Amino acid sequence: CPAPADLRPANGTRVCALLYKDNSPYYDQCCAGEVLVVEPGSDAPYMPRGWSGSASSLVVGTRCELNVWSRKAKRGNTRRFSA
């Protein structure tokens, strides 16, 4: 998985978090498969099509915080992730 400080794509813009779909019991294979990019300041009360309940790994960048909810429309239990 990339280090939190490395979340910068080729064009140099900042990324706050990356969510990955592929799951593996081996750490070096966890951050694989499709990637959902979370940009700074984004607010998504619904997961994009095909992502609900399927994110298996995530990396949160430095100076960023990712808040997730267990139910759609920001309802249910919440959890906060940071670098």
Side-chain angles (χ1 to χ4, degrees):
C1 295
D6 294 338
L7 295 189
R8 291 183 185 275
N11 66 2
T13 60
R14 188 165 175 243
V15 172
C16 272
L18 298 174
L19 283 71
Y20 297 90
K21 268 197 175 181
D22 283 359
N23 190 12
S24 174
Y26 301 103
Y27 180 77
D28 62 338
Q29 298 173 13
C30 285
C31 296
E34 289 185 57
V35 178
L36 179 63
V37 176
V38 180
E39 297 179 359
S42 62
D43 183 19
Y46 299 94
M47 290 294 283
R49 188 181 229 14
W51 276 91
S52 182
S54 63
S56 62
S57 302
L58 62 89
V59 177
V60 179
T62 55
R63 299 186 327 259
C64 284
E65 193 172 80
L66 178 69
N67 297 307
V68 297
W69 287 263
S70 61
R71 298 179 53 107
K72 64 182 179 180
K74 298 182 182 179
R75 294 192 177 145
N77 297 326
T78 187
R79 181 132 187 220
R80 187 171 292 169
F81 297 93
S82 61

